[in-house]
Amino acid sequence: MRFLASPSILLTLSVLTCGISSAAVHHVHRRAPLICYEDNSLRTLQRFSSDAAAFCPKYLQSSSEPLPRNLVEVPVTRLSSACTCFQKTAAPSPTWASAVAPTPTSISSVKTTSWSTSASVAPELPKSTALPPTGPNSVRAVGKAYSGGKRGLVYDWNSQDYSKFFKNSNKIAFGSNWREKRIPAPGVTFDNGAYVPTIHVDGNLKNDGWLNAVKALIASGTPMIYASNEPDNQGQANLTPAQAATVYRNFVQPFKGQAALASPAITNGGGATGLGFLENFVGQCRDCHFDIINVHHYVNRWDVGVDQAVSAVKSFLTKDVAAFQAKHPQFQNTKICIGEFWLWGASDEEGADYLRKLLPWLDGNSNVACYQAFGGLWRGNFINSAGTGLSRSGQVYHDL
């Protein structure tokens, strides 16, 4: 996610621990006056947490407080709510969160809220967790399978030259930055990995430099192409299913057979977002070819513990996403890329624990082609707050 203007829907995770019970673990939405989920203004503050920790308390007292250089990408209209959300995520975890989380078995046995393609409740997806078979007449018989390594690293044009801390890692296979250009900021390189471009368009659904840029990247070994980044998110690509289909046909489909083509990256929201959006998109793009289904998954630490967050990712991929694949011939035997995932509001040690428990499962799951934790080359994420080396979570992502 990048540069999010917050939508009016907030993802919350229901909790089943310490006497707090609910009927769902994830995908539950409600209206709320303060929206923290899917707010990339908040993510910018979290990325530069040291700056935000000093700035936000003063700004909430006086809006005349000067904006630090690292936070200039946050729209002025979003500063107040983003700072309020930042202070919420930085606050001590609720007392129940320190209790023993439910086991994966108890979490997976809880029925999740079904997604829908409209505001009304749609029927549940099939209960299958297996991917459909392929054959010589299948739409999956042509194309190009993803052949790169699994673990990717995200960065952007505000990233400083922190890539040096990952250059000696044999775990990082590729990088991406939500654009088609490999190096958006001086000094940021990935000598030990490939670069994966992401299509982004203007208000007229145009990107004049895309086709030539991607041709050059493919010639240099780019293994995969990302379609629109979160078209179901108002602050990201923010496209209708029909618009997303047009973008896909014009900018991604032409490279069929030359690189693995990933579907638009959707959130793990509910209703008309998330898999509901992808359902509508597929209806508008029936002639489109996909080699990868790309999904994102975020949960909040103040809603769940680390073990619950890990189980929520596993359930989303093996149940919700797999059931969607089973329903649509275009996704027969496509593998999954979880292009972004994270446990928001986690401490550095909690983030490290989250990765220790999740990465081995992702690495060992043959249906997962690739993944990128939303840690990235930012201080306070995979880079320590001083900018002098890796954080604990960054070290796990580097080594494990």
Side-chain angles (χ1 to χ4, degrees), residues 267-292:
T267 69
N268 57 313
T273 66
L275 291 170
F277 180 96
L278 199 60
E279 173 82 7
N280 282 322
F281 164 80
V282 170
Q284 299 284 338
C285 210
R286 296 189 184 280
D287 58 331
C288 297
H289 171 86
F290 309 99
D291 298 301
I292 295 283

Side-chain angles (χ1 to χ4, degrees), residues 224-236:
M224 178 171 54
I225 299 172
Y226 282 159
S228 302
N229 182 61
E230 297 187 358
D232 57 327
N233 186 325
Q234 293 178 10
Q236 288 300 298

Side-chain angles (χ1 to χ4, degrees), residues 184-241:
V188 177
T189 59
F190 286 94
D191 294 343
N192 58 328
Y195 174 75
V196 175
T198 305
I199 179 60
H200 65 104
V201 295
D202 60 22
N204 295 317
L205 305 185
K206 300 292 184 182
N207 183 329
D208 293 336
W210 168 264
L211 294 177
N212 286 335
V214 174
K215 286 178 183 177
L217 286 169
I218 289 175
S220 69
T222 289
M224 178 171 54
I225 299 172
Y226 282 159
S228 302
N229 182 61
E230 297 187 358
D232 57 327
N233 186 325
Q234 293 178 10
Q236 288 300 298
N238 191 27
L239 303 170
T240 66

Side-chain angles (χ1 to χ4, degrees), residues 125-137:
L125 285 171
K127 299 294 184 181
S128 171
T129 60
L131 298 179
T134 59
N137 298 320

